[in-house]
Amino acid sequence: EDKVVQSPLSLVVHEGDTVTLNCSYEVTNFRSLLWYKQEKKAPTFLFMLTSSGIEKKSGRLSSILDKKELFSILNITATQTGDSAVYLCAVEAGSARQLTFGSGTQLTVLP
Amino acid sequence: DTAVSQTPKYLVTQMGNDKSIKCEQNLGHDTMYWYKQDSKKFLKIMFSYNNKELIINETVPNRFSPKSPDKAHLNLHINSLELGDSAVYFCASSQGATGVAFFGQGTRLTVV
């Protein structure tokens, strides 16, 4: 069975701090890894990673994938209170094109 | 314009009832999904539907059935609701090989 594990489960930081969120996976026929941000409602797409070692960046957020060690990290620099959310990692694998999600990391940024 | 929309947003119903949740996407995507998110925020795939091919997560009880009248709609019908069905249900869609799923706003189902 495909498995995605995120750590830490929760994290509390102050504005301006830098955080690193982790995602490891064990899947059959890996296709891609995706990061989503979930505030109150729908998860919103952040990044899709398919190749090792290539950093994807969007503003203060960046992510990288290591297909040899089977993990990805999501970095957020200079955090703001608006970054408070659950960050979800998901892996697409196999021919069924379904995503397997991790349990998420609850990030709280205090002013 | 809402890309993936679900109705209703909230649904409170009694055990044993049958209910449906509707989902529509205007993105022109060819694949639609239903996910269940439990109280611990764990998102779990229930179904995916692509060009009339239905892939079912084997852990989903057969009281749950997806119905797709056309490519833009995938409704979720639930028979004989149980307390454990209480959760937030998300519809999503994606196109082709990108794998990027776009989610609806969710339907919070409470079974009392």
Side-chain angles (χ1 to χ4, degrees):
Chain A
E1 188 182 333
D2 294 342
K3 193 172 158 186
V4 178
V5 177
Q6 291 186 244
S7 63
L9 291 180
S10 66
L11 192 53
V12 180
V13 300
H14 287 93
E15 273 193 317
D17 288 349
T18 293
V19 297
T20 298
L21 310 183
N22 304 294
C23 175
S24 63
Y25 61 90
E26 292 176 32
V27 300
T28 304
N29 296 326
F30 173 90
R31 296 172 76 101
S32 63
L33 184 145
L34 297 92
W35 285 97
Y36 286 86
K37 176 182 181 182
Q38 185 175 24
E39 296 174 85
K40 290 183 181 173
K41 297 276 184 164
T44 53
F45 171 73
L46 294 175
F47 299 111
M48 183 170 77
L49 304 156
T50 54
S51 302
S52 272
I54 298 174
E55 186 183 55
K56 294 245 176 150
K57 201 168 168 63
S58 175
R60 297 175 293 101
L61 277 67
S62 63
S63 183
I64 198 159
L65 174 67
D66 185 328
K67 286 165 76 172
K68 186 179 173 188
E69 300 297 330
L70 309 182
F71 77 90
S72 173
I73 59 172
L74 175 69
N75 277 322
I76 309 175
T77 58
T79 51
Q80 302 171 357
T81 54
D83 295 327
S84 297
V86 174
Y87 289 84
L88 297 165
C89 172
V91 174
E92 186 193 9
S95 58
R97 306 203 61 79
Q98 295 180 354
L99 295 174
T100 300
F101 279 84
S103 56
T105 293
Q106 171 76 61
L107 174 66
T108 303
V109 182
L110 302 174
Chain B
D1 278 347
T2 304
V4 182
S5 60
Q6 300 177 225
T7 53
K9 289 184 183 174
Y10 300 95
L11 183 54
V12 181
T13 188
Q14 289 188 322
M15 275 197 307
N17 284 350
D18 301 340
K19 289 292 176 187
S20 291
I21 306 172
K22 293 186 177 179
C23 178
E24 176 182 4
Q25 54 96 3
N26 63 8
L27 298 166
H29 286 168
D30 62 4
T31 305
M32 295 184 73
Y33 311 84
W34 277 104
Y35 285 85
K36 178 181 180 181
Q37 189 171 44
D38 60 25
S39 55
K40 294 183 180 178
K41 295 289 187 181
F42 221 129
L43 260 171
K44 198 154 187 181
I45 184 75
M46 298 178 71
F47 305 101
S48 66
Y49 196 83
N50 175 310
N51 291 330
K52 300 188 181 179
E53 182 191 7
L54 176 66
I55 299 172
I56 302 171
N57 183 323
E58 61 206 19
T59 66
V60 175
N62 58 14
R63 298 180 294 104
F64 290 79
S65 56
K67 297 192 192 308
S68 179
D70 55 56
K71 229 171 81 163
H73 296 84
L74 184 67
N75 303 325
L76 181 65
H77 190 74
I78 316 168
N79 287 328
S80 303
L81 278 155
E82 300 177 358
L83 292 176
D85 297 332
S86 296
V88 180
Y89 292 83
F90 285 97
C91 176
S93 71
S94 69
Q95 176 60 34
T98 67
V100 177
F102 291 87
F103 286 80
Q105 293 295 302
T107 296
R108 181 173 292 280
L109 171 66
T110 304
V111 182
V112 297

